[in-house]
Amino acid sequence: IILSAIVLFLAACGSDEASGGNGDTIEWKLGHLSDENHIWHKTAEEFASLVNEKTSGEIEIEIYPNNSLGGETDTINSIQAGTADLVISGETLQNWAPKAALLAAPYAFRDLDHVTSVVEGEIGQEIEDQIKEEAGLTPLYYHTRAPRNLTSKEPIKSPADLSGFSMRVPNVPLFLDTWEAAGANPQVMDFNEVFTGIQQGVIDGQENPVDLIQSGGLYEVQQYVNRTEHVHSWIYVLVGNEQLEALNDEQRDAVLEAAEEAQKIGEELYQEEIEQIEGELTDNGMEFVDVDQEAFREVMIPAVEKSLSDEQLDLYNRILEV
Ligand code: 2Q2
C-alpha cells in the first residue's frame, strides 16, 4: 500500500511539473503600445490562442494594448523583475543591448528587403543574441515596419524648418542625437503620452510609421505627415528568458512553434493592411508632404556615426554592405 501511495504521489508531482508549477495554468502578461486594431495586437491575439491550443490550455497569455501594462521601458523592467512576461520592443532595447540601436539607425536601411535580409541574416542573429544576453529577453517573432515619418502642425520640408520644433522620440538615445543634429528639440516620452503632449502644446510633433500615427489617433492633433522616411525597421515580440526557461520542453516547443506561425500571420496582415493606412489618414484630414530627404540624410548620417560606439559602428557599416 505504501509503495502504491508513493507511486501515486510521484505521478501527481509529475503532472504538476508539466503544468509548470503547482498545477495551475501559467498566466503570462504581454504589454505593448498599439491599440486593439493594430497589426501587432491582432497578431499577438493569434499567437496567444496558438500557444493556449498547443499547450492544451496550460499557458494563457493576457494581452495589454495601449501601454496599459506600462510604457515600453517600464514593461521591459517588469519582465526582468518577473511581474510581466512579454513585450513588443525594438531599438529601445539599446538601453540594455547596444546593438539594438541598429534597428533604427536613420537612413541605414534602403527598404524592407534590406531590413529582412539583415534580420534573417547573421547581423540579426548577433543583435538577437545580445538582446538575450544583456536585456534578458528572447525574441520570439518580429514585425517588419513601414518607414518612420515626421508628423507636425506645419509642413516640414527640410531640417531648416526644424528650428524651435519640439518633438517626442521614444526612449532611443540614437534618436535624441540624430534629431538634435537635424535642428529639432527632441524629448523622450512614452507613446501613450504623445497625443496629450501635442494637444497641450508640450510638443509640436513626433515621428512614427503610418500604422502608429493611426493607432495613436494622431490625425486628430497633427495635420502633416512629412515623408522623411528616416527609418526602415522591424520590431520584436520578446519573452523573458526566465519565463521561457521555467517551461517544460513540450511547453517551450509549443511556444516556439506558435511564434513561427505568428510570424507568418503578422506578415500577411502587414501585406493586407499597410497600403490602406495612408488613404485612411488622408480621409482623416492629414496631408502627406514630400521632403528634401537628401538634406535630412546629410545632417543625420554624420550624427549617427558620431553617436555610435565602435561596436555599433562595425555593425552599422556591415548593414550598409548587405
Ligand atoms: O515610437 C514608438 O514608441 C514606437 O515606434 C516604438 O516603440 C519605437 O520604435 C521603439 O521604442 C521600439 O523599441
Side-chain angles (χ1 to χ4, degrees):
I1 292 174
I2 293 171
L3 192 60
S4 53
I6 291 169
V7 167
L8 278 175
F9 175 71
L10 288 176
C13 290
S15 64
D16 279 355
E17 207 281 310
S19 57
N22 55 12
D24 294 342
T25 308
I26 297 168
E27 292 180 358
W28 278 354
K29 296 191 177 89
L30 187 165
H32 70 85
L33 53 79
S34 71
D35 72 339
E36 294 88 334
N37 300 316
H38 192 272
I39 293 169
W40 298 353
H41 187 82
K42 291 191 277 197
T43 307
E45 284 179 323
E46 293 291 330
F47 173 62
S49 54
L50 283 164
V51 168
N52 193 256
E53 190 188 303
K54 291 174 185 287
T55 59
S56 319
E58 289 171 358
I59 301 180
E60 283 176 10
I61 301 177
E62 183 78 33
I63 304 165
Y64 294 79
N66 304 306
N67 277 347
S68 49
L69 195 60
E72 186 177 344
T73 304
D74 290 345
T75 306
I76 293 168
N77 287 320
S78 302
I79 294 172
Q80 293 163 342
T83 54
D85 307 288
L86 299 108
V87 69
I88 300 181
S89 184
E91 52 273 20
T92 288
L93 290 160
Q94 75 162 113
N95 293 290
W96 292 268
K99 291 181 180 177
L102 280 304
L103 264 90
Y107 299 115
F109 290 91
R110 298 181 296 278
D111 50 33
L112 274 189
D113 286 346
H114 187 192
V115 167
T116 312
S117 329
V118 168
V119 191
E120 302 281 350
E122 63 179 27
I123 296 175
Q125 192 56 58
E126 281 178 44
I127 294 173
E128 290 189 26
D129 291 348
Q130 194 182 61
I131 290 171
K132 190 167 176 181
E133 187 65 33
E134 301 300 332
L137 302 175
T138 301
L140 292 173
Y141 63 93
Y142 70 90
H143 291 279
T144 48
R145 305 183 72 181
R148 294 181 85 92
N149 287 316
L150 182 66
T151 62
S152 57
K153 295 172 182 168
E154 300 299 333
I156 291 176
K157 300 196 172 187
S158 82
D161 298 334
L162 285 174
S163 59
F165 183 77
S166 69
M167 65 184 284
R168 171 268 181 183
V169 291
N171 182 14
V172 179
L174 182 59
F175 282 179
L176 280 171
D177 294 341
T178 45
W179 282 105
E180 243 156 46
N185 306 322
Q187 58 181 287
V188 171
M189 213 183 256
D190 275 322
F191 186 65
N192 53 299
E193 293 161 6
V194 170
F195 185 97
T196 321
I198 295 170
Q199 203 173 38
Q200 293 174 351
V202 173
I203 45 173
D204 304 315
Q206 62 88 52
E207 44 78 59
N208 247 303
V210 287
D211 48 285
L212 285 187
I213 295 169
Q214 182 178 60
S215 173
L218 301 183
Y219 46 84
E220 289 178 29
V221 290
Q222 300 271 263
Q223 280 65 46
Y224 298 98
V225 180
N226 309 281
R227 291 188 203 275
T228 48
E229 297 181 340
H230 52 286
V231 169
H232 292 277
S233 191
W234 69 102
I235 197 157
Y236 292 112
V237 176
L238 309 111
V239 64
N241 295 350
E242 284 165 30
Q243 286 85 339
L244 194 57
E245 276 143 35
L247 302 181
N248 63 39
D249 292 349
E250 294 76 19
Q251 292 164 336
R252 196 171 310 112
D253 291 348
V255 167
L256 298 179
E257 208 180 280
E260 257 181 61
E261 292 177 37
Q263 176 76 43
K264 291 190 180 57
I265 292 166
E267 284 162 5
E268 282 156 21
L269 283 174
Y270 184 90
Q271 293 310 329
E272 283 160 22
E273 298 194 9
I274 208 72
E275 291 303 319
Q276 274 85 341
I277 298 178
E278 184 163 327
E280 288 162 4
L281 289 175
T282 40
D283 291 348
N284 279 306
M286 294 199 94
E287 193 181 322
F288 281 72
V289 177
D290 288 329
V291 313
D292 180 354
Q293 285 189 6
E294 203 39 51
F296 281 97
R297 297 170 69 89
E298 267 164 32
V299 290
M300 284 193 162
I301 290 174
V304 170
E305 289 161 353
K306 190 159 159 266
S307 169
L308 296 181
S309 67
D310 291 348
E311 173 196 54
Q312 292 170 317
L313 212 48
D314 164 59
L315 223 46
Y316 174 74
N317 291 322
R318 285 166 56 201
I319 286 169
L320 298 180
E321 298 302 313
V322 171

